[in-house]
Amino acid sequence: MNSENAPLSPSSKPLLRALKGEAVWPPPIWLMRQAGRYLPEFRAMRDKADFLTRCMTPDMAEELTLQPIRRYGMDGAILFSDILILPWAMGQSLEFIEGRGPVLGAIRSAADLQRLDPKRVLEATAPVRETLSRLSKSLPEVTTLLGFAGSPFTVACYMVEGGGSRDFAATRQMMQTEPMLFDRLIETLTVSTAEMLCGQIEAGAEAVMLFDSWAGILPPTAFRRYVIEPTRQIVRHIREKHPGTPIIGFPRLGGIMVREYAEQTGVNTLALDTVADPAQIAELVPEITLQGNLDPMALFSGGEAMIREAKAIRDALKGRPHVFNLGHGVMQHTPPENVGALVDAVRAV
Ligand SMILES: Cc1c2[nH]c(c1CCC(=O)O)Cc1[nH]c(c(CCC(=O)O)c1C)Cc1[nH]c(c(CCC(=O)O)c1C)Cc1[nH]c(c(C)c1CCC(=O)O)C2
């Protein structure tokens, strides 16, 4: 067999190479929430089934994962699922309500926590692994398949609050008044998240991402205890079983604390939020891969300003391992053509 039709080795995937620490130029690109309501083909599927059904039906989840790959040829395909699948799999009630977001049966006491059953997780998430295993066959050869989970702290925020919140007051109060209960919740989530991510890797995920969307609401001592330490444990557990699989950490709005996070958790890649200055962070953290961090509003608005901002980020990180992405998810009414223009701009050399 000559080299032209030899099967591609994993290292010929630009995103995987960048996640493993190589400065690939131009940087590979994928976007958080690239499968979403801004795509007409996504909205068409939405009328067919509720969100949980779409996540837990391999046919649908596979199709939804593939939609942005077909349209834009992204370098990464992120599994269509949600961070709240984990509490749901443990037995917490979960509903996604139009215009309101997720609604869960709030965990406020030891008895509430006791009712959850982490032993159910493996079986309840079997369809997710089936989706990944189908995707590893249906994706283009150059595309990297990404699994993910929420980080224990962010998932705990939704579990305690019973949904989204402006300030997650009930969660922060539980940390103060019932630290043993909150610690137990975090420990339960840490173990289950590590196991779930290993399962995703065994089913075909080539890298995994930990979303810690609310890390930035914590003071430093709590950030170390509830963000850095659980992440470190999850990374250690995954490394023991799957030493070569890259792990992306996203401690959103972590500010200067991202330095300790990058030094101490062992993640391969630090995902930057919209507020982070890429050049400054590059100075601050060890030589790991950086991911990010265009403002989703720049993508929403498009035009020359978007292209200028995207190129400034790309050029600021030139020479260093970088994965182009947003600083947070794609906004709901983003014009799909702006996403195409962004991909072209990032790839134009
Ligand atoms: C906090 C959080 C959640 N989910 C997620 C986070 C972390 C990232 C972040 O900070 O945004 C992560 C997530 N959610 C979803 C994905 C799938 C893959 C992708 O990025 O394309 C991923 C990686 C699908 C989704 N998750 C959700 C949708 C929309 C539901 C629908 O289409 O009916 C999608 C496509 C619902 C969801 N899920 C969640 C909320 C708060 C909501 C409601 C808000 C909203 O509707 O946008 C919890």
Side-chain angles (χ1 to χ4, degrees):
M1 198 190 283
N2 67 32
S3 64
E4 244 175 327
N5 45 32
L8 290 171
S9 73
S11 64
S12 54
K13 300 185 176 200
L15 174 57
L16 199 54
R17 278 162 50 206
L19 294 173
K20 289 185 173 183
E22 191 183 324
V24 177
W25 187 264
I29 176 171
W30 71 278
L31 303 179
M32 293 188 271
R33 285 292 186 91
Q34 62 190 21
R37 281 167 289 198
Y38 73 103
L39 289 176
E41 59 269 35
F42 181 96
R43 293 196 298 273
M45 286 276 289
R46 256 186 124 219
D47 301 330
K48 296 198 181 130
D50 63 56
F51 180 66
L52 259 175
T53 306
R54 277 177 278 146
C55 288
M56 299 315 285
T57 309
D59 263 354
M60 292 187 186
E62 180 189 18
E63 167 59 21
L64 290 164
T65 306
L66 289 170
Q67 286 178 349
I69 309 306
R70 274 193 213 113
R71 206 185 248 261
Y72 306 111
M74 297 290 185
D75 292 291
I78 185 157
L79 166 72
F80 185 81
S81 183
D82 199 83
I83 66 166
L84 301 177
I85 291 297
L86 177 60
W88 171 81
M90 289 179 176
Q92 189 171 14
S93 66
L94 172 64
E95 244 186 302
F96 286 85
I97 297 173
E98 187 64 48
R100 201 172 143 199
V103 178
L104 303 92
I107 305 287
R108 297 290 168 85
S109 67
D112 293 340
L113 182 55
Q114 204 62 45
R115 276 193 287 275
L116 300 182
D117 183 4
K119 288 193 295 298
R120 295 182 59 214
V121 170
L122 199 66
E123 202 188 318
T125 56
V128 174
R129 293 189 297 282
E130 172 63 22
T131 303
L132 285 165
S133 102
R134 290 184 190 198
L135 281 163
S136 52
K137 293 173 199 104
S138 54
L139 278 170
E141 275 186 304
V142 292
T143 315
T144 301
L145 179 55
L146 304 169
F148 73 92
S151 288
F153 175 67
T154 288
V155 175
C157 281
Y158 287 95
M159 290 175 80
V160 172
E161 223 67 38
S165 161
R166 195 166 42 84
D167 57 7
F168 292 97
T171 314
R172 287 156 59 222
Q173 191 181 16
M174 185 189 281
M175 275 162 46
Q176 302 288 336
T177 58
E178 292 194 78
M180 305 242 291
L181 178 60
F182 195 70
D183 279 1
R184 244 185 29 242
L185 174 58
I186 294 289
E187 277 161 27
T188 304
L189 288 169
T190 301
V191 173
S192 290
T193 303
E195 284 170 359
M196 194 176 69
L197 287 176
C198 284
Q200 290 186 12
I201 293 165
E202 283 146 28
E206 295 166 290
V208 292
M209 177 153 166
L210 273 167
F211 287 88
D212 218 338
S213 305
W214 299 108
I217 68 174
L218 292 173
T221 43
F223 188 96
R224 293 185 182 106
R225 179 161 166 177
Y226 296 122
V227 173
I228 293 181
E229 184 53 28
T231 304
R232 201 181 63 76
Q233 289 174 25
I234 292 167
V235 170
R236 196 178 54 195
H237 184 97
I238 296 173
R239 290 259 191 282
E240 273 168 19
K241 289 184 141 178
H242 304 287
T245 304
I247 303 167
I248 309 165
F250 182 41
R252 193 170 76 93
L253 302 178
I256 202 112
M257 293 303 288
V258 304
R259 179 164 69 98
E260 276 181 52
Y261 180 97
E263 284 170 352
Q264 294 174 17
T265 59
V267 296
N268 303 76
T269 297
L270 179 69
L272 306 181
D273 56 55
T274 307
V275 203
D277 178 57
Q280 260 180 25
I281 301 286
E283 292 283 308
L284 199 68
V285 303
E287 275 284 316
I288 59 172
T289 304
L290 297 175
Q291 177 174 286
N293 72 339
L294 183 71
D295 183 355
M297 185 51 87
L299 178 63
F300 178 93
S301 309
E304 275 310 306
M306 170 186 82
I307 307 268
R308 222 180 309 116
E309 192 54 35
K311 289 198 164 162
I313 291 166
R314 186 190 74 161
D315 296 346
L317 293 172
K318 192 168 186 178
R320 158 149 199 154
H322 175 216
V323 173
F324 198 95
N325 205 313
L326 301 176
H328 204 184
V330 176
M331 294 166 69
Q332 191 179 349
H333 300 291
T334 298
E337 60 272 21
N338 293 2
V339 177
L342 174 66
V343 171
D344 290 346
V346 170
R347 287 185 177 156
V349 279

